[in-house]
């Protein structure tokens, strides 16, 4: 039986932008987006920035027209996902480690959504050292109304006789004189009593969103946290730094278990570090982590308490004679993601995307060239530190496509089904049919301020790729996320959030 033919290439279109810059507008370093994540339903999106702030967006096209299942049954056409600003909160503040004389940035490194409960949203966010567990919930603001006292005659109410007016207005339009000597703080009825006594009614006037930090997981990492990942059991998560991976219980913040430790007895013997780690989407005992040498290790928590020995190792051996000064640098994996089916792992190194089958450790099943045209300029990239940029990657919910970012705010989408030749390049900024969504104004800073990020090491350095197209190392699209159920991509260009759909 022949495999089904690959699906046709998708036609990507611009959908929305939040916080788009105007020409020449200054960007605040703290506003640059550093993390982005959809929740499992795809109805909520979270971004974190270098200023320690988390901004939440919610989907509106489904909420306005019923559930997706109802849309499929009805004649109403299903539109592409549309989001709107929901709320924001300050997750992390800058700190100072007095023992190590070290400043700890407030920058959000990763955000991960947890299971929702009772209409509340839960998520984890982390900077270099501290992980926080947040609960975001709607709270109703209540007001007392419908009392006997006419508010135009005073500011009192029957609920507080000491401040009530001396003339109590009755429901039938008449009024009742208080007898002389009637004390305002006396709860006794006046002579004759009230013909009708209307009790105060508590009415819900409006709702407001409140974010509350439920737990803080701190003091467990000597090095910078590069990854956090939720377990499918809904109870535990991992956090990874350069040399260790710790396992936490969501309910216990003062204790974690070290499950991976690659620190050598002598630090001079250190040859590789952990760069990314993620739990398997359905097997709560399995996780994978990548290294700076370009390898991915699969570990099984059932084998031993300290998982120093991997159950599977995935790496691609270099061709003989191809080794150079830059070989190890560009081989370092900056991000790994499990496919939704748990069968495949996607990895991103500096030059390529690789798709791995966890049942085949002889090599990747597919390799996608992202930066091959930059190979002649590796020396320049090393001089201006761009070679150390950490690009993220993502997979579509159906596992048919993969995506990652590049320079000049470009992102690339590849078809990974057997026989597919799909390879699309889009720029997250240029679209004549754009429809800008303004984010509500903020007291401190705004997502609407954006300009180019000047790279470390000096001024911008535009150049030409192999096709004669210009590219710019100063603008880079590092963070992006694929909607879990639909062909929609959210990507961050500096402090603007762009949404595309197909």
């Amino acid at each position: 039986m022949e495999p089904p033919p690959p699906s046709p290439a998708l036609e990507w279109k611009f959908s929305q932008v939040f916080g788009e810059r105007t020409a020449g507008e200054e960007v605040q370093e703290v506003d640059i987006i550093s993390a982005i994540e959809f929740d499992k339903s795809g109805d909520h999106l979270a971004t974190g920035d270098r200023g320690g702030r988390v901004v939440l967006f919610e989907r509106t096209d489904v909420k306005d027209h019923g559930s997706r299942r109802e849309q499929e049954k009805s004649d109403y056409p299903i539109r592409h996902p549309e989001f709107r600003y929901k709320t924001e909160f300050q997750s992390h503040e800058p700190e100072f480690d007095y023992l190590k004389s070290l400043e700890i940035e407030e920058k959000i490194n990763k955000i991960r959504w947890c299971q929702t409960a009772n209409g509340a949203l839960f998520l984890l966010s982390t900077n270099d050292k501290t992980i926080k567990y947040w609960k975001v919930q709607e709270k109703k603001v209540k007001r007392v109304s419908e009392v006997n006292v006419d508010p135009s005659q005073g500011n009192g109410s029957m609920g507080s006789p000491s401040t009530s007016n001396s003339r109590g207005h009755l429901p039938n339009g008449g009024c009742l004189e208080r007898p002389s000597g009637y004390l305002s703080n006396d709860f006794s009825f006046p002579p004759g009593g009230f013909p009708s006594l209307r009790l105060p009614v508590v009415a819900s006037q409006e709702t407001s969103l409140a974010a509350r930090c439920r737990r803080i997981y701190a003091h467990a990492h000597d090095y910078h946290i590069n990854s956090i990942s939720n377990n499918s059991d809904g109870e535990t998560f991992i956090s990874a730094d350069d040399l260790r991976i710790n396992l936490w219980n969501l309910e216990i913040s003062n204790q974690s278990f070290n499950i991976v430790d690659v620190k050598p007895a002598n630090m001079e013997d250190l040859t590789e570090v952990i760069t990314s780690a993620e739990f398997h989407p359905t097997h709560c005992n399995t996780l994978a982590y990548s290294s700076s040498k370009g390898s991915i290790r699969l570990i099984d928590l059932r084998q031993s308490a300290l998982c120093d020995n991997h159950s599977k190792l995935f790496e691609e051996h270099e061709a003989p004679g191809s080794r150079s000064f830059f070989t190890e640098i560009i081989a370092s994996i900056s991000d790994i993601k499990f496919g939704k089916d748990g069968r495949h792992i996607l990895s991103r190194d500096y030059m390529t995307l690789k798709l791995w089958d966890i049942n085949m450790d002889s090599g990747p099943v597919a390799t996608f060239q992202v930066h091959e045209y930059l190979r002649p300029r590796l020396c320049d990239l090393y001089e201006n530190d761009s070679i150390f940029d950490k690009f993220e990657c993502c997979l579509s919910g159906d596992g048919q496509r993969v995506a990652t970012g590049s320079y000049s705010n470009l992102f690339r989408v590849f078809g990974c089904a057997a026989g597919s030749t799909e390879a699309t390049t889009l720029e997250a900024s240029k679209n004549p049919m754009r429809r800008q969504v303004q984010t509500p104004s903020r007291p401190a800073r705004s997502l609407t301020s954006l300009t180019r990020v000047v790279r470390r090491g000096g001024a911008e350095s535009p150049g030409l790729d192999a096709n004669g197209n210009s590219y710019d190392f100063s603008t880079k699209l590092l963070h992006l996320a694929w909607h879990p159920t639909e062909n929609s991509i959210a990507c961050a260009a500096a402090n603007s959030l762009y949404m595309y759909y197909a």
Side-chain angles (χ1 to χ4, degrees):
M1 183 177 177
E2 293 185 4
S7 54
L10 296 178
E11 183 183 351
W12 290 91
K13 299 174 184 176
F14 171 83
S15 171
Q16 291 174 283
V17 56
F18 293 90
E20 188 180 29
R21 67 176 171 183
T22 57
E25 191 173 354
E26 286 289 325
V27 68
Q28 301 280 337
E29 180 81 8
V30 293
D31 288 330
I32 296 171
I33 297 173
S34 57
I36 183 168
E37 185 83 1
F38 281 104
D39 71 350
K40 280 189 177 180
S41 69
D43 291 341
H44 292 92
L45 174 67
T47 64
D49 63 25
R50 295 188 184 180
R53 183 182 58 195
V54 172
V55 182
L56 303 184
F57 301 87
E58 65 179 348
R59 188 169 174 176
T60 58
D61 56 306
V62 171
K63 183 176 284 190
D64 295 340
H65 298 281
S67 68
R68 293 186 196 85
R69 193 167 294 175
E70 288 170 355
Q71 287 187 35
E72 289 165 4
K73 291 178 181 176
S74 69
D75 296 330
Y76 186 87
I78 301 176
R79 300 180 296 171
H80 62 84
E82 286 189 9
F83 287 81
R84 68 182 173 200
Y85 169 84
K86 184 179 179 74
T87 188
E88 66 181 74
F89 56 90
Q90 190 68 31
S91 175
H92 288 72
E93 300 282 355
E95 300 174 49
F96 189 81
D97 188 334
Y98 293 97
L99 294 176
K100 297 182 179 179
S101 296
L102 189 68
E103 285 188 25
I104 302 170
E105 284 186 298
E106 67 272 37
K107 172 192 166 191
I108 306 294
N109 290 344
K110 295 288 179 182
I111 295 173
R112 290 291 180 265
W113 290 91
C114 303
Q115 293 178 349
T116 58
N118 299 325
L121 304 173
F122 295 88
L123 48 89
L124 291 165
S125 63
T126 185
N127 65 353
D128 286 338
K129 296 289 184 182
T130 306
I131 307 156
K132 294 187 178 181
Y133 183 45
W134 290 92
K135 178 182 181 181
V136 182
Q137 191 174 30
E138 285 190 350
K139 288 193 173 182
K140 292 183 178 180
V141 179
K142 296 183 178 180
R143 190 173 296 172
V144 177
S145 60
E146 296 184 26
V147 293
N148 283 74
V149 174
D150 183 356
S152 65
Q153 298 294 321
N155 59 358
S157 72
M158 287 300 293
S160 54
S162 60
T163 58
S164 296
N165 242 15
S166 61
R167 296 171 67 88
H169 286 253
L170 302 179
N172 59 9
C175 62
L176 181 68
E177 287 281 0
R178 287 183 179 166
S180 60
Y182 176 76
L183 299 176
S184 61
N185 60 353
D186 188 359
F187 284 89
S188 60
F189 285 98
F194 287 110
S196 170
L197 182 63
R198 199 185 314 153
L199 293 174
V201 175
V202 178
S204 296
Q205 297 291 326
E206 57 189 20
T207 59
S208 66
L209 280 163
R212 187 162 64 92
C213 184
R214 296 287 303 275
R215 284 175 190 86
I216 297 176
Y217 313 89
H219 312 300
H221 288 276
D222 291 330
Y223 303 92
H224 291 177
I225 298 171
N226 55 50
S227 305
I228 51 175
S229 178
N230 302 87
N231 198 347
S232 58
D233 63 10
E235 297 178 0
T236 56
F237 70 94
I238 55 168
S239 59
D241 65 21
D242 291 345
L243 299 179
R244 293 188 176 96
I245 300 177
N246 293 333
L247 178 68
W248 302 82
N249 189 301
L250 280 167
E251 301 297 321
I252 304 169
S253 60
N254 59 357
Q255 185 181 33
S256 65
F257 297 95
N258 179 223
I259 56 174
V260 175
D261 188 350
V262 300
K263 184 178 181 180
N266 185 353
M267 284 296 282
E268 292 181 1
D269 299 331
L270 183 67
T271 58
E272 63 181 332
V273 295
I274 298 167
T275 57
S276 183
E278 183 164 288
F279 261 117
H280 189 281
T282 55
H283 298 167
C284 61
N285 57 282
T286 304
L287 62 94
Y289 70 90
S290 60
S291 82
S292 57
K293 275 195 169 180
S295 60
I296 301 171
R297 289 172 173 84
L298 206 65
I299 62 174
D300 191 335
L301 296 175
R302 297 171 298 185
Q303 289 182 344
S304 65
L306 188 61
C307 305
D308 285 341
N309 296 318
H310 53 267
S311 55
K312 283 189 178 178
L313 174 66
F314 305 95
E315 59 184 353
E316 190 173 29
H317 300 286
E318 61 191 59
S322 64
R323 190 170 181 82
S324 71
F325 173 77
F326 304 109
T327 300
E328 280 199 15
I329 301 174
I330 62 176
S332 177
I333 294 175
S334 56
D335 190 29
I336 59 170
K337 291 284 195 314
F338 270 101
K340 199 173 182 180
D341 58 0
R343 171 80 181 266
H344 295 92
I345 299 175
L346 180 68
S347 68
R348 170 71 204 263
D349 56 45
Y350 189 71
M351 304 295 281
T352 63
L353 270 176
K354 293 186 175 78
L355 189 66
W356 308 79
D357 187 326
I358 64 172
N359 296 325
M360 192 179 86
D361 53 9
S362 58
V365 294
T367 301
F368 309 96
Q369 300 295 337
V370 182
H371 283 163
E372 188 58 33
Y373 62 88
L374 292 177
R375 196 172 288 278
R377 298 200 59 182
L378 288 178
C379 190
D380 295 337
L381 293 163
Y382 179 78
E383 288 294 324
N384 64 27
D385 282 351
S386 294
I387 201 169
F388 301 107
D389 288 334
K390 293 176 170 54
F391 292 92
E392 293 181 359
C393 58
C394 58
L395 298 92
S396 61
D398 58 10
Q400 296 292 303
R401 293 170 181 86
V402 296
T404 190
S406 182
Y407 293 106
S408 302
N409 287 340
L410 300 176
F411 67 97
R412 308 199 67 189
V413 181
F414 300 94
C416 57
S420 174
T421 58
E422 180 178 354
T424 308
T425 302
L426 297 101
E427 181 177 356
S429 61
K430 290 184 179 177
N431 192 300
M433 303 297 289
R434 74 170 66 260
R435 182 170 56 82
Q436 183 166 342
V437 181
Q438 287 290 347
T439 306
S441 59
R442 300 176 174 83
R445 57 186 185 273
S446 169
L447 272 176
T448 56
S449 59
L450 173 67
T451 187
R452 287 181 176 178
V453 187
V454 178
R455 63 177 170 80
R456 294 166 292 170
E460 301 161 1
S461 69
L464 298 175
D465 63 17
N467 301 319
N469 299 318
S470 63
Y471 57 87
D472 184 2
F473 298 143
S474 68
T475 53
K476 57 196 78 169
L477 199 151
L478 302 176
H479 311 285
L480 76 172
W482 201 302
H483 191 282
T485 58
E486 300 177 34
N487 286 320
S488 176
I489 293 177
C491 47
N495 67 340
S496 287
L497 179 66
Y498 290 90
M499 312 283 287
Y500 286 80
Y501 74 99

